[in-house]
Amino acid sequence: MAGIDQKKIRNFCIIAHIDHGKSTLADRIIEKTGLLTSREMQAQVLDNMELERERGITIKAQAVRIVYKANDGEEYIFNLIDTPGHVDFNYEVSRSLAACDGAILVVDAAQGVEAQTLANVYLALDHDLDVMPVINKIDLPSAEPQRVIDEIEDVIGIEAQDAPLISAKVGLNIEDVLEQIVEKIPAPTGDVNAPLQALIFDSVYDSYKGVIVFCRIKEGSVRKGTNMKMMATGATAEVVEVGYFGAGQFIPCDELSAGMVGYITASLKNVKDTRVGDTITDADRPCEKPLPGYKKVLPMVYCGMYPADGAKYQDLRDALEKLQLNDASLHFEPETSIALGFGFRCGFLGLLHLEIIQERLEREYNLDLVTTAPGVVYKVHKTNGEVIELTNPSNLPEPTEIDYMEEPMVKAEIMVTSEFIGAIMDLCQERRGIYQGMEYIEETRAVLRYHLPLNEIIYDFFDALKSRSRGYASFDYEMLGYEKSELVKLDILINKEEVDALSFIVFSGSAYERGRKMCEKLKDEIPRHLFEIPIQAAVGSKIIARETVKAVRKDVLAKCYGGDISRKRKLLEKQKEGKKRMRQIGNVEIPQKAFMSVLKLDEKK
Amino acid sequence: MRRNKELEIYIHIPFCVKKCDYCDFLSGSQDEATRKIYVEKLIEEIRTHNKRNRSIHNEKVITVFLGGGTPSILEKNQITAIFDALRENFDVAEDAEITIEANPGTVTAEKLQAYKKCGINRISFGLQSTNNEELNLLGRIHTYEEFLESYQLARACGFNNINVDLISAIPKQTVASWEETLKKVIVLEPEHISAYSLIVEEGTPFAKLYGEGCPGEHDLPSEEEERAIYYRTEELLEKAGYHRYEISNYAKKGKECRHNLGYWERKEYLGIGLGAASLINNTRYKNTDDLLYYMEHASDLSAIQENVEKLSLEEQMEEFMFLGLRKMEGVSVDEFENTFGKTMEECYGEQIQSLVQQELLKQKNGRLLLTKQGIDVSNYVFGEFLMACQY
């Protein structure tokens, strides 16, 4: 295998706006090159996480190696790396891009260029990738390929006249794509004989093989027995196996050399030793300096995550560590809550990221979780001059010690068709947005620019955007910095006891509204007890909203069904079972659902 | 020599003239021919118990309860045949309490005399209300006047142990209309009164009318009204010489229903007939509730017995608590220890302490019993004894 000609390798990824057909195209490419017969094909081969298939999104980057016999009679090796489309996973995208030499840009023939199309193209150009456009979904009645081609040239500024016009769904013109990959995507460069220099772009944990490192070999080569060294962590280990990616499986080979994409397993004990973005070299013949790696990303959204069963704390820690292994943007540290016990304060790139991590923990690691309301990082300027970065509302100092507070702002770009401009402007207004301007990309589509507080968009902004534009608006944002703001801590008291896990920081003008909604929601979620339970929202010592859960006056089974005691027992057991999933706060049992319900406060809109 | 054990027998007659709108018991209207075959099969099952089950044969039957449905719908010779079979195959004690459930309008002097001959010494009338509008609303087939007739007839035939079943908290009922029902029944001086609060059961016509989110939901008395009715029941009946001995049961002294008490005290009982439940040797099971299947296999006990559950020690303790606590006298601390070889304290100390603190249970003369508030939320109290014991 050492004899693979670098010129015959093409490392590329597919980038696209969400739903433009990226994963479907990947499936077709795999099918056309005969890696799998269509009978073996399962829709979206690369999205092998259950969650990905269900949601129809790509979360993790995935790689696969395929062999293509081109029209010139030569066989080419394609390394295809699938990437996520959502803004929360830009970090993942940029990792995959670093392993590629070119990118296929998929654009929907009906929808044209969208916010994420642009964002991903810029990312690709940042990584010096050659971008090759493909127009997808030309089978749709509303397809306007020529308009979209022009748009790509106008808006993005890349040559698109000879872009393949395809339908990944029905498998139309996929050959054109394959031929253009050979023609337009550059072959990798790199000296096979130079000291080893490989970029870790992902890794997974396998219970049999241990840590599996996904890497792109930039220089040199690696084989079984190589004494490899992680340049950032300094960990060394002997390589146990190298190989490349089959469809859904790992295929061992003798050697990976410059230009190739593949995996390495080694006798690595600690998952923390292999950090994504780190450079692998040969300990016996090290390269001079590491590859640039990745820009470190900072979590923007924080929440508390607690195991529903306190005994599962260690399991949660293990699971978070394993997820962090290939998701460096996931951040966590231990914290304790009076209401929820031991858990972790976790940092995420956004709310979708949070949801995905939560679901992965629940499905892949079988953990039952209780999550607290997400919040952003606030800067608290104390009267003594000290500035603290607040990630947990419970740590807010006394009001007398606070001089002022700042909250993070984002610069948001919302692309929307003209008929929804009004609705979207209303939404931004409600979310304390500051209008920055608007420009028309073409006759019917405009980009709206707003400055928005991050804490206004982490909840359900995306959903609201979609529902108010019937799905047409798309949205991208970047951090702008901190601005002074009137913020207060909203506390929830249940039966006069403050529940720390329900406290959060909110803009003072929205406190009343939020507090009222929280109380209403909790009233529906907290079951009736033998006594009356007041639910109150408070800012400081001032109660701003109240609801009451009425006491149970009666819970009697008058009749006992003759001698059918089993039936009675089942009724009692059912009642008891419900209680098991509750948290005891003072003498009130609160279902775990209640903690989560406050995350979806604006659902009814 | 084996000491004679005590056994209760329940016989189920799953037939009614018409099923009431609130009823979710196993019953329905069936034609005469079906009833005839059913009785034959019932007798087959009784005989099979004798042949198959020696341990039961050695036991003394202390109560028999013929329930339904409406057992009084059967012809007098059918009842006689059932009792003949019963006495041939079981040793029924001379002083056994033998009850039949009867619906007003289905009994005649001939039937009552036949009951007497069979040794039946207790009649339980399903009156439910003395208000004819309420009876109509419940879907009952009889009027208060028809009940009076049946009741007097039973008295005339010499029945001196009669129960009257009443249902409270029915839609649109007021404390006043309920009091009227109670007073009209009290003057008749039955020995026993059962006063159940209506439960709207899933799958009944009532569930569609009065269930959650249904148009009639607000016709049902509120929890507060329901409790007021319940408190008033005890007050009125107590004054008239009835004491409450179980959550919904009131009796004159010495006239408590021994058969039902047996359920709460975990006495062994054998259920015969469609869907009848049994507790034998700490094993609970139920007969099939499929009428056609039952009639085909009545003589094959293993074919008709379902949901056979051998109770673990822990489950037995749980039952001891949640069944025993239904009785107003509660459960005996000593009896628990004698039965299970462990003290109540070591099994349920924590739960008891907390429930006593919440004033839902109280301790008195070596017994643990529900308080007034405890009765109101007894399901909660009982639930605390499930899956709690560490032993």
Side-chain angles (χ1 to χ4, degrees), chain A residues 528 530-531 550-570 572-577 579-580, chain B residues 24-25 196-197 201 223-224 226 248 263-264 269 277 284 286 309 315 318-319 323 326 360 375-380 383-384 386-387:
Chain A
R528 294 165 63 199
L530 301 184
F531 43 88
K550 277 175 55 185
V552 173
R553 290 283 297 113
K554 177 207 163 192
D555 183 11
V556 194
L557 207 53
K559 205 150 184 160
C560 214
Y561 314 106
D564 193 353
I565 304 305
S566 303
R567 176 167 169 183
K568 180 167 171 61
R569 168 187 283 278
K570 278 186 192 109
L572 293 174
E573 275 171 0
K574 207 168 132 196
Q575 159 191 319
K576 186 100 179 176
E577 200 52 44
K579 282 180 70 174
K580 264 172 124 184
Chain B
D24 78 328
F25 279 24
Y196 298 111
S197 286
E201 298 281 2
E223 288 186 357
E224 283 74 16
E226 190 277 334
S248 312
Y263 291 152
W264 318 136
Y269 56 91
R284 290 198 180 276
K286 253 183 93 170
E309 269 176 284
E315 286 168 325
E318 290 167 0
E319 285 189 356
L323 293 175
R326 287 192 71 91
L360 300 174
I375 295 172
D376 292 345
V377 292
S378 47
N379 276 348
Y380 165 76
E384 291 301 289
L386 288 191
M387 299 178 276

